[in-house]
Amino acid sequence: MCKTINSHFINGAWVQESKPAALYLKNPATGLDNITLMLASHELAETAIQSAHDAIPTWQQYSSNERAEFINNIVIELKKRRTPLIDSIVNELGCPREFTTEVQVDDPIDAFEQHVQWTKDIQHEQVIDENLTIYKEAIGVCSIITPWNYPLHQLIAKVAPALAAGCTMVVKPSEFTPTSALLLTQAIEAANLPKGVFNLVIGSGRDVGPVLTTHPLVKCISFIGSTAVGKHIQSVAAGSVKRVLLELGGKSPYLICPTTQLESAINLGIEDVMANSGQTCVALTRMFIHESQFEQAKQLAKQSASSLSVGDPDTKDTFMGPVINQNQLDNISSAVERAKNEGAEIIYGGNRIDQTGYYYQPTVITNLPHDAQLAQQEIFGPVLVLFKYKTIDEAIQLCNDTPYGLSARVWSDDTEQSKKLARKIDAGQVYINGAFWHNAAPFGGYKESGNGRELGPSAIEEFFEIKSIIV
Ligand code: NAD
């Protein structure tokens, strides 16, 4: 059943847009009408910014322990909304229910909860000596702009440290996944955060983006999204020298050293890319295999990709659901068709799945030069490219040979060797062998994957101004 959403949250109250433009969202699993979204106007975004500005004196009266208590209350309220959060992400993104539960909902709530202690630990004042005291002061109003692929995680990764630091904010989630943002806002409302500290506008980047990124009262823009939009935001924000924190795209490498565990290494790489239908900024979409194991790796990759169950995200044991919408499906399809025309070898997949909804096959490709578009540009779909290398030095050079530097993985039978190689890769995070996500690990990119770090106590530091008082 198609529902209508016309809800924004400003100065502690739910408001409706009076003359809204509508966005019609389909259910990715069925292609049927799902949500009619009434988009915020730029006037509403301006009101939200003013509200966040007016709330600064109130919010800054609270100590870090008191802010930690508010954060703890939000976490309690979020836990009460766990099931609707899961339902919304399955419904709007098409992400399989089991993965949604663990990765899209439980994990970010856990990350939020860790901010309780990190907030208590904040030292706003540091006496260096009798002449010098250093103060950390909240930067002020933040515009938080997030994408759709891990909608709750991305909101929490920005909202939690901004609240912890004592900032007020206007939050604009992706217009393609509005409901998790509404549920987070309900949790914040129930936690009795002072009015105006947290404001939500659900609008398009085109309409409300310019207000959020250029308004003089906004002091910091914390953005997660594509590199193209991130570059645009950095340029428009330069006019008033705002702080700009960017978490952008990736084309992450997976370096497999010659190993006795090739099957485990390949299975992990396939599952990493195909999870969430490849719509993951850190997906390890370039796999590097030593020439001595390359033919075996191709066979194992084919076997692994063909074993994944693809289909309805609400069916138990589905590993891969649809991609989010027709546009995304078309982008993936045209990128793969172009690679085919360039002579790529399709090891597995390479086509749309002929059923209603937006489904693409898990796809494994090789025989492409490393400067091919599919090897260099983020596709944001279930597409992995395999490359062969002769020497480790060559492999490291290839790992670093894209504009991005978000994440990486090294697999070898020798952990110490892996750690040394990890230090040579340009990436904000490097995983060794089967290691998984860590909520306390600072996260962010080198090069065109962005700047600034989220998660971990150091993410809170991004939202401070530093003041030195010298006597
Ligand atoms: P996007 O850049 O199109 O949109 C991201 C957000 O920016 C949305 O809320 C959108 O409405 C808004 N926006 C669009 N134009 C804007 C403008 N001119 N001014 C202000 N805001 C604007 O990205 P997307 O398609 O929603 O998400 C996918 C992208 O996000 C991928 O490139 C992916 O790699 C990236 N991403 C990065 C990370 C990370 O942490 N590095 C995490 C997840 C996703």
Side-chain angles (χ1 to χ4, degrees):
M1 200 179 63
C2 186
K3 66 176 176 183
T4 298
I5 296 177
N6 186 0
S7 296
H8 314 274
F9 188 73
I10 297 178
N11 199 26
W14 291 95
V15 296
Q16 298 198 323
E17 184 60 72
S18 53
K19 290 185 198 148
L23 178 70
Y24 303 97
L25 301 173
K26 308 269 188 197
N27 180 322
T30 61
L32 298 175
D33 291 342
N34 200 19
I35 293 172
T36 303
L37 182 65
M38 301 304 183
L39 295 166
S41 62
H42 66 96
E43 288 90 351
L44 207 61
E46 277 174 17
T47 313
I49 292 169
Q50 188 64 50
S51 147
H53 177 72
D54 294 345
I56 291 174
T58 310
W59 190 225
Q60 292 186 350
Q61 277 171 7
Y62 289 94
S63 67
S64 45
N65 275 338
E66 287 167 327
R67 293 199 303 277
E69 195 53 40
F70 278 112
I71 291 175
N72 191 43
N73 290 340
I74 297 170
V75 171
I76 291 168
E77 292 297 331
L78 266 180
K79 286 180 178 170
K80 292 182 193 164
R81 292 161 176 81
R82 180 174 179 263
T83 303
L85 280 164
I86 296 165
D87 289 344
S88 78
I89 294 173
V90 174
N91 178 261
E92 292 170 14
L93 178 59
C95 188
R97 186 165 285 274
E98 201 178 318
F99 184 86
T100 299
T101 303
E102 191 183 330
V103 179
Q104 298 263 18
V105 175
D106 288 346
D107 199 49
I109 293 177
D110 175 64
F112 212 156
E113 195 158 20
Q114 295 202 33
H115 283 77
V116 174
Q117 187 57 48
W118 297 335
T119 309
K120 288 182 185 166
D121 292 342
I122 294 171
Q123 298 290 331
H124 281 282
E125 181 181 333
Q126 191 190 5
V127 178
I128 302 294
D129 59 36
E130 60 188 20
N131 298 116
L132 174 61
T133 309
I134 297 173
Y135 295 88
K136 291 178 182 172
E137 299 177 348
I139 190 166
V141 176
C142 302
S143 287
I144 292 178
I145 303 174
T146 58
W148 45 263
N149 55 326
Y150 289 83
L152 183 66
H153 167 85
Q154 288 147 345
L155 286 168
I156 284 176
K158 298 298 190 189
V159 169
L163 285 177
C167 291
T168 64
M169 63 206 72
V170 179
V171 174
K172 192 204 91 58
S174 170
E175 55 273 42
F176 299 117
T177 47
T179 305
S180 45
L182 292 172
L183 289 161
L184 170 64
T185 307
Q186 286 172 12
I188 288 174
E189 183 186 25
N192 287 321
L193 211 66
K195 284 179 183 172
V197 172
F198 176 97
N199 303 274
L200 178 81
V201 289
I202 307 181
S204 74
R206 193 191 52 224
D207 293 336
V208 299
V211 186
L212 296 177
T213 53
T214 61
H215 197 291
L217 293 179
V218 171
K219 301 299 176 221
C220 171
I221 302 163
S222 190
F223 172 81
I224 309 179
S226 60
T227 294
V229 174
K231 284 180 179 176
H232 169 74
I233 288 176
Q234 188 144 36
S235 69
V236 298
S240 50
V241 197
K242 298 186 195 311
R243 184 171 303 169
V244 180
L245 308 170
L246 301 172
E247 304 289 344
L248 307 176
K251 192 75 193 177
S252 297
Y254 180 13
L255 170 54
I256 302 180
C257 299
T259 174
T260 53
Q261 308 168 62
L262 190 61
E263 187 170 356
S264 306
I266 298 285
N267 284 341
L268 179 74
I270 293 286
E271 290 191 6
D272 175 274
V273 173
M274 308 309 165
N276 203 22
S277 304
Q279 302 163 123
T280 304
C281 54
V282 291
L284 302 162
T285 47
R286 296 177 296 136
M287 184 187 278
F288 297 95
I289 303 138
H290 190 258
E291 58 182 359
S292 63
Q293 295 193 304
F294 196 71
E295 287 309 313
Q296 191 192 355
K298 277 169 61 177
Q299 290 313 314
L300 289 170
K302 181 174 185 176
Q303 201 177 301
S304 181
S306 64
S307 72
L308 298 178
S309 52
V310 184
D312 179 8
D314 232 342
T315 302
K316 195 171 176 305
D317 297 332
T318 293
F319 182 85
M320 201 176 102
V323 297
I324 190 166
N325 55 31
Q326 185 68 47
N327 195 26
Q328 194 70 12
L329 185 63
D330 291 344
N331 288 343
I332 296 162
S333 187
S334 58
V336 173
E337 291 310 310
R338 177 198 285 253
K340 286 180 188 170
N341 291 335
E342 289 170 349
E345 175 189 345
I346 307 292
I347 297 171
Y348 187 78
N351 289 301
R352 296 171 194 234
I353 298 176
D354 188 16
Q355 68 181 72
T356 53
Y358 311 118
Y359 292 90
Y360 200 84
Q361 292 177 307
T363 295
V364 186
I365 293 181
T366 191
N367 198 30
L368 272 178
H370 198 258
D371 59 2
Q373 195 184 31
L374 199 71
Q376 290 289 318
Q377 293 302 319
E378 183 179 54
I379 305 301
F380 230 49
V383 182
L384 168 66
V385 190
L386 268 48
F387 296 94
K388 110 178 45 158
Y389 65 86
K390 285 186 200 307
T391 66
I392 289 288
D393 284 348
E394 179 198 5
I396 293 287
Q397 185 262 321
L398 288 170
C399 284
N400 290 333
D401 181 28
T402 73
Y404 300 107
L406 191 56
S407 187
R409 185 179 292 273
V410 177
W411 184 293
S412 97
D413 295 344
D414 175 351
T415 305
E416 286 312 307
Q417 182 201 18
S418 297
K419 284 199 215 163
K420 284 184 190 146
L421 294 173
R423 296 296 303 274
K424 296 184 179 182
I425 297 176
D426 300 335
Q429 290 197 334
V430 186
Y431 293 80
I432 306 290
N433 292 0
F436 278 109
W437 182 258
H438 197 307
N439 270 332
F443 176 81
Y446 284 35
K447 302 192 286 187
E448 293 190 17
S449 288
N451 57 48
R453 294 291 179 268
E454 59 189 34
L455 299 177
S458 59
I460 300 171
E461 305 286 324
E462 307 274 3
F463 293 90
F464 288 132
E465 285 287 16
I466 307 288
K467 179 178 286 172
S468 302
I469 297 194
I470 306 139
V471 180

